[in-house]
Amino acid sequence: MNRHQPVAIAGAGIAGLTAALSFARKGIQTEIFERTTVLSETGAGLQLSPNATRILTKLGLLLQLEKVWSEPQAITLVSGVSLKTIASVPSGEFARSRWKSPYGVLHRADLQKTLLDAVNANPLCHLHLGMEIGDTAQHGIAGMIGSEPRLVVGADGVWSNLRKRVEGAGKASFSGNVAWRFTLGEAEAPAFFDTTKVTAFLGSGSHLVVYPLQRARSFNVVAITSGADPGKSWDSTLPPEISRQRLLEAFSGWHAQIIDLLRHAVEPTVWPLYHVNDGAWNQGDDVVLIGDAAHAMMPFAAQGAAMAIEDAFELASFVAGGKPLAAFADHRQSRVARVRSRGAFNRFAYHARGPVRLGRDLVLSLRRPESLAADFDWLYGYEPKD
Ligand SMILES: Cc1cc2nc3c(=O)[nH]c(=O)nc-3n(C[C@H](O)[C@H](O)[C@H](O)COP(=O)(O)OP(=O)(O)OC[C@H]3O[C@@H](n4cnc5c(N)ncnc54)[C@H](O)[C@@H]3O)c2cc1C
């Protein structure tokens, strides 16, 4: 492998753009291929925990992000039936001091634009829009950029093409969960929505996450329910009245004000959630998968994008240090496995029914906020290899 050959990246999502900036920070040129002609992220918000913002800070993006995000004062769990607070983990200044980096919430389009502006301003990053990378070998890409890339990074999302180039890679499968997403203007929001917090409302088989999108003066609302394999019937092109009826069925028995909110939600979009479980991430030193292409996960721990950011940053460190891609994959797979189990635990706890739910509420209510925060030290306090 020649140190001067560029790295080719398939996909200009959060993983691909962060990888380009991380390679540039190590003096390595990248050629990024994005199949869409315009990069536009619509509709939804994103929580960026301190493990992700620590890396975005190292990439020089903090000042820009501070202009477009808000830092919630707490992450709070609330009963979806009684609207009583079950537990609360402090954030805001507390996050900055405990995990040495902020916790921010923002519109995805704002993160995308921040990354994209930085990529466009960096002479080592070359973005090619409207170019799809198939499952062909390196020479296909060489034809497009005039030289063989030293490696190809598959940052092409849950339906990755590049996975076909990796023997033993995982497969995308339906996770058993469906998400609805919509936004709600601050003026229309019910009084129990709090502009200073991320709130997760919990109930049997479903939960609802709400947080403010400061610049849009609105709230991001994500409702997640357990469900059977959706097949074609959960298609996002479902007629709106059927989609809403499904949403209301999933939340029956919840507090009347939440049901009323869902009944009046404007155009809730439905997303069957797919995940990619265990499998290989690299093909020798030629191809490596990162982000959702490698390990798409459920949003129960709000860590999918954070893991994509960690992957991207650490990949550049391993490659710049001359380490084999297998070493990168080993290192990242153990971290991602731990995060995935945290998500599985949250799924169990958030969607608990009957006596398990009562036990959960009792145990959580007896713990002090500081002690709840300590549970996240391994996750939010993570120092990436640099
Ligand atoms: C409801 C929900 C809520 C979430 N909330 C959070 C949260 O709060 N915090 C968090 O950290 N994560 C969250 N996530 C997860 C997060 O959104 C994803 O993990 C993250 O966006 C993955 O980024 P990516 O770059 O790997 O993939 P993608 O965003 O899918 O990007 C892939 C890119 O590759 C392009 N592409 C695809 N194929 C090709 C090809 N063959 N050639 C060239 N280009 C190609 C695509 O057009 C796209 O631009 C959430 C997910 C869901 C579903």
Side-chain angles (χ1 to χ4, degrees), residues 79-81 178-182 200-210 221-226 234 243-263 350-351:
S79 159
V81 178
V178 182
W180 278 267
R181 296 161 137 183
F182 58 95
F201 297 92
L202 312 185
S204 316
S206 306
H207 77 284
L208 188 82
V209 180
V210 176
V221 186
V222 186
I224 297 179
T225 68
S226 310
W234 284 108
S243 173
R244 191 182 307 279
Q245 191 188 323
R246 296 259 169 89
L247 176 60
L248 290 170
E249 278 164 17
F251 284 82
S252 73
W254 279 54
H255 195 280
Q257 287 191 64
I258 292 188
I259 293 180
D260 193 49
L261 168 84
L262 299 176
R263 186 170 290 126
Y350 284 10
H351 290 189

Side-chain angles (χ1 to χ4, degrees), residues 349-368:
Y350 284 10
H351 290 189
R353 297 167 197 268
V356 176
R357 188 177 73 201
L358 293 176
R360 170 199 73 195
D361 294 356
L362 181 66
V363 168
L364 286 174
S365 66
L366 292 175
R367 292 188 59 193
R368 295 199 347 269

Side-chain angles (χ1 to χ4, degrees), residues 12 32-39 116 127-132:
I32 315 138
F33 298 93
E34 166 56 46
R35 71 169 170 202
T36 58
T37 47
V38 182
L39 280 179
L116 187 60
L127 175 60
H128 311 269
L129 293 175
M131 289 180 83
E132 177 154 6

Side-chain angles (χ1 to χ4, degrees), residues 11 13-15 33-35 47 108 133 156 161 181 292 302 304-306:
I14 294 169
F33 298 93
E34 166 56 46
R35 71 169 170 202
Q47 303 179 54
R108 277 163 187 265
I133 299 292
D156 50 348
N161 256 342
R181 296 161 137 183
D292 275 11

Side-chain angles (χ1 to χ4, degrees), residues 16 30 35 39 41 49 56 78 86 122 133 218 239 282 287 290 300 336 338 371 382:
T30 53
R35 71 169 170 202
L39 280 179
E41 263 286 6
S49 51
L56 297 169
V78 172
I86 301 167
N122 195 311
I133 299 292
S218 63
N282 68 301
V287 182
I290 61 170
F300 286 93
V336 167
R338 193 166 179 200
S371 121
Y382 184 71

